[in-house]
Amino acid sequence: MDLGEKLEILADSAKYDVACTSSGVDRPGQHGSLGSCAAAGICHAFTPDGRCVSLLKVLYSNACSYDCRYCVNRRSNDRPRATFTPRELADLTIGFYRRNYIEGLFLSSAVLGSPDRTMELMIEALRILRQEYHFNGYIHAKTIPGSDPLLVERIGLLADRLSVNIEFPSENSLNQLAPDKNKKAILRPMGQIAVKSAESRQELAVYKRAPAFAPAGQSTQMIIGATPESDRHILNLTEGLYKKYALKRVFFSAYLPIVADEHLPTLSTRPPLLREHRLYQADWLLRYYHFSAGELLSEEEPNFDPYLDPKCTWAVRHPEFFPVEVNTASRAELLRVPGIGPKSATRIVQARRLQALGMAELKRIGVVLKRAQYFITCNGHTPGHGTRAEIANALLDPKAFGVGVQQLSLDDFTAKPLPAAAPAVHELAAHGMAADQAARLVREEALTCLTKRM
Amino acid sequence: MPYQANVTDTAYHYDGSFPGFLCCIFESFSRREIPAAVCPPEEAQMTLFGVREIATDPAHAQRVAAGLDRLGAVVRDRITTGFLCTDPGKDLKLLRFARLCFDLGPRAAQMLGDADAAAAFAIERAVTGEAHRYIEFIRFEERDGMLGTVIHPKHQVLPLLRGHFCSRLPDEDFLIFDATHGTALLRRNRRVQYLAMEHYSPCTDEAELNWQSLWKRFFKALTIEERRNERLQMGHVFKRFWPDMCEMRPDLPVAEESTHS
Ligand code: SF4
């Protein structure tokens, strides 16, 4: 099998892993080695599904000896199998990296025989990269659940970021869908990585030359929509993971049915992309906006509103918090205003030291006022007077009603609901209604409903 | 604000160089006036105002440069980076911003509610934004051990690419050709120079084409059809970058060139 074919198979098998960022470490280049890292991460391409390609994301092997029900690579699934050699993988990484195609490597693998053997091969590939080729770019490695803690330690000294996928939001779902895996085998390395990284950071603070263990921290990923957990359950779990294991990121992956199984949604199920989007929005609120999971969802409302982003939902539920005076409010208060993000909030706080801010100034600063205007005052003046219906209209998330022509084939120019449109829009369209009409109808209903709530 | 007190109807014409631009700031400062326009040679014919030719005097330029240095890195970078912008009218905006900073001190850079400060910020961002896109989207090809590429930027981004690629490829020789402005950044034996250059012929070396085809196969394999969303893709990689990116070029000269605008 030629290298191109292997690459195709092993990239195709890895593509459902959603994490592809190269963020978290800043490392300048050095003579004698190849590469550097930028803390913010760098994307190098965007696929036709709109996702960023930052790393050479491949499996070391897709010849799995496990049989997880949801996975294309499961043992019992009939598909082409391939396995790299450590050298092939290292050469491929260097070749792509020098051409500025990628920021580095994201290496994961199916279980090739046993978890330990798989990890040893992955480690060998990374060893060649780091020690023989002096590769100084980004490496993200996924540890294989059930492998020896010593191997986890070795791979952590070669990689910038490690991840252990928790796969599903609950133990029940995990047991049902991944019979060869168990919660303990997943959480143990997570705990080990958290402890090791913290130790390594301390050592580095004392002596600069101490070996760095996963300096970009660890992340995890879970599949949503294949199992019955609510958004609230998922978000609480996410918050807990950030706290307990000091994770850098939690990724969500909308379940895409690739194999038929009685325990899984049917093959015709659409991936819940809007739900995935809402979870990411909420995740941002946790990480950058000082929200807690408990503020965003409750027992009575355990799921996100498809038509409204989580921050707007919170604002609508908390009229007593508003208006916020832009000339005096704290940064944290500004961050609660729909339409004001971390950058705008910082700029507002800086700019107002030298001048009073009115609407014109806010516009120049680059604050998007479409939503914000109804929630702020500028020196006591309310910039936006709107009826409840007008405000509701500004708050609805256009993403939920997206319709457009996709270039799947060259002769099909009928508009369709975009992949992340609300399920209601997809459903009406599936029943034969024209997409834009479906979107309009659903939006009108959402608008009426929201206006009533305000 | 005092620096705006004397807006004249005189246009400054200068030679288009950065020292020349600094001399425009000097002129404006010493005459206590704000010109109505500041024109490099390529914009000169468009002015409706009375014209004053501003000669480039290295001593004056140096005094202004030292003044900008004293205002700190944020102000200085906003002006030096902003100067790489090729939007017409950027010169006057940057001059007004410089005057604002000389009046109010370094903190003026954060006064984004002010029209001049906001304009200068936007100019700098246009340039750094484009440079960042090239840091992401440049595709090198290798021939005879040397990496090379051609780009078509709006702004003069080469000086902003230099640091990144020299740090990332510390022991490589490389060339980045800016076809829009006819200049190239050449790094050879760890030394960097800017050259005038006219033409770049793409590599036809078989080993190189093989790497490009590997990359394309990888790129294709990554796409998840069920999530296809080309609007999103185009929002991230504007079409004007596509011709210089091998994975975005159609495989066959005839087929596939899509019909959307
Ligand atoms: S271990 Fe399970 S999830 Fe991982 S590749 Fe094998 S079958 Fe798929």
Side-chain angles (χ1 to χ4, degrees), chain A residues 9-295:
Chain A
I9 293 172
L10 292 165
D12 183 72
S13 298
K15 71 182 174 189
Y16 300 103
D17 216 302
V18 284
C20 190
T21 90
S22 52
S23 57
V25 284
D26 222 346
R27 195 165 55 217
Q30 251 179 7
H31 285 295
S33 65
L34 170 72
S36 61
C37 294
I42 297 178
C43 285
H44 283 278
F46 288 89
T47 53
D49 53 38
R51 294 179 311 151
C52 142
V53 182
S54 182
L55 303 168
L56 170 60
K57 181 163 62 175
V58 287
L59 297 189
Y60 183 84
S61 167
N62 73 340
C64 199
S65 26
Y66 283 7
D67 210 25
C68 308
R69 290 171 186 272
Y70 55 92
C71 176
V72 267
N73 302 318
R74 63 197 259 185
R75 186 180 60 223
S76 56
N77 195 24
D78 179 27
R79 74 184 323 243
R81 306 284 173 171
T83 302
F84 282 122
T85 67
R87 182 79 50 188
E88 276 172 347
L89 191 59
D91 288 341
L92 207 50
T93 308
I94 298 288
F96 279 10
Y97 191 84
R98 289 181 67 227
R99 287 168 177 76
N100 204 41
Y101 298 163
I102 53 168
E103 271 308 279
L105 173 66
F106 179 166
L107 185 59
S108 161
S109 184
V111 179
L112 191 61
S114 75
D116 283 354
R117 164 141 186 272
T118 315
M119 280 280 271
E120 272 161 11
L121 289 163
M122 289 166 69
I123 288 170
E124 175 58 11
L126 302 193
R127 188 201 62 77
I128 295 176
L129 270 173
R130 288 288 198 226
Q131 286 164 14
E132 284 185 36
Y133 296 167
H134 303 288
F135 177 64
N136 194 30
Y138 196 87
I139 296 180
H140 178 162
K142 212 155 93 178
T143 64
I144 309 297
S147 54
D148 192 300
L150 280 173
L151 295 173
V152 174
E153 193 165 339
R154 275 174 57 200
I155 206 163
L157 291 171
L158 295 163
D160 290 297
R161 173 167 285 180
L162 291 180
S163 58
V164 189
N165 285 359
I166 79 169
E167 312 289 7
F168 290 101
S170 75
E171 190 172 4
N172 243 344
S173 302
L174 183 71
N175 291 343
Q176 191 163 64
L177 296 170
D180 302 302
K181 296 183 182 169
N182 64 67
K183 185 175 160 200
K184 231 178 90 207
I186 290 169
L187 294 184
R188 192 199 50 70
M190 241 189 213
Q192 184 194 355
I193 295 165
V195 170
K196 272 271 147 206
S197 312
E199 278 174 14
S200 149
R201 260 193 306 280
Q202 270 180 358
E203 278 167 28
L204 277 166
V206 185
Y207 7 79
K208 261 209 166 112
R209 303 217 63 109
F213 184 92
Q218 63 171 327
S219 63
T220 191
Q221 156 178 341
M222 62 184 102
I223 297 169
I224 56 152
T227 50
E229 295 83 8
S230 68
D231 290 345
R232 177 165 178 255
H233 176 99
I234 295 171
L235 201 64
N236 282 333
L237 173 67
T238 303
E239 189 176 60
L241 287 169
Y242 280 131
K243 286 193 180 136
K244 181 145 188 224
Y245 298 104
L247 291 188
K248 284 284 169 4
R249 283 295 301 271
V250 174
F251 292 94
F252 309 104
S253 161
Y255 177 70
L256 184 71
I258 10 194
V259 277
D261 189 287
E262 48 181 322
H263 297 284
L264 285 166
T266 57
L267 281 179
S268 61
T269 312
R270 241 173 264 108
L273 292 175
L274 186 60
R275 186 176 175 207
E276 178 193 283
H277 178 65
R278 292 279 176 263
L279 282 163
Y280 276 123
Q281 287 178 317
D283 171 76
W284 277 76
L285 294 181
L286 298 184
R287 291 186 299 133
Y288 298 113
Y289 289 75
H290 315 291
F291 275 90
S292 65
E295 286 179 288

Side-chain angles (χ1 to χ4, degrees), chain B residues 21-40:
Chain B
F21 172 68
L22 295 181
C23 290
C24 294
I25 299 180
F26 187 88
E27 176 82 7
S28 140
F29 196 74
S30 51
R31 293 208 182 220
R32 298 175 190 286
E33 66 179 15
I34 296 287
V38 178
C39 306

Side-chain angles (χ1 to χ4, degrees), chain A residues 2 4-5 7-8 11-12 15-16 28-36 42-51 53 55-57 91-92 95-103 256 273 276 347 350-351 353-355 361 364-365 403-404 406-408 413 418-419, chain B residues 107-108 110-115 118 121 125 132 134-142 145 147 164-165 167-172 187 190 208 211-212 214-215 217-219 221-233 236-237 245-248 258-260:
Chain A
D2 80 348
E5 209 173 322
L7 177 61
E8 241 163 43
D12 183 72
K15 71 182 174 189
Y16 300 103
Q30 251 179 7
H31 285 295
S33 65
L34 170 72
S36 61
I42 297 178
C43 285
H44 283 278
F46 288 89
T47 53
D49 53 38
R51 294 179 311 151
V53 182
L55 303 168
L56 170 60
K57 181 163 62 175
D91 288 341
L92 207 50
F96 279 10
Y97 191 84
R98 289 181 67 227
R99 287 168 177 76
N100 204 41
Y101 298 163
I102 53 168
E103 271 308 279
L256 184 71
L273 292 175
E276 178 193 283
R347 286 190 202 148
Q350 285 175 345
R353 286 190 203 129
L354 289 137
Q355 55 184 161
E361 284 75 21
R364 288 196 199 109
I365 288 174
V403 166
Q406 295 274 15
Q407 293 266 305
L408 276 171
F413 288 107
L418 291 178
Chain B
R107 287 193 309 171
Q110 292 175 351
M111 262 174 74
L112 293 183
D114 177 89
F121 180 64
R125 262 225 308 211
H132 188 73
Y134 280 107
I135 284 174
E136 299 180 319
F137 300 142
I138 271 185
R139 301 285 178 255
F140 282 115
E141 37 186 38
E142 178 177 13
L147 300 169
H164 175 82
F165 285 108
S167 164
R168 168 149 298 195
L169 306 167
D171 302 315
E172 304 262 1
R187 182 165 189 264
R190 299 194 184 177
E208 175 54 37
W211 276 108
Q212 293 182 13
L214 276 176
W215 168 241
R217 288 174 82 168
F218 171 70
F219 183 76
L222 273 189
T223 305
I224 297 181
E225 281 305 326
E226 291 84 345
R227 301 182 67 126
R228 186 174 271 269
N229 189 346
E230 273 145 356
R231 270 207 209 162
L232 195 58
Q233 180 190 28
H236 289 301
V237 197
M245 300 171 72
C246 63
E247 76 275 13
M248 303 305 252
S258 45
T259 35
H260 51 247

Side-chain angles (χ1 to χ4, degrees), chain A residues 295 313-322:
Chain A
E295 286 179 288
T313 311
W314 183 87
V316 169
R317 259 198 259 123
H318 293 272
E320 76 287 353
F321 187 82
F322 300 101

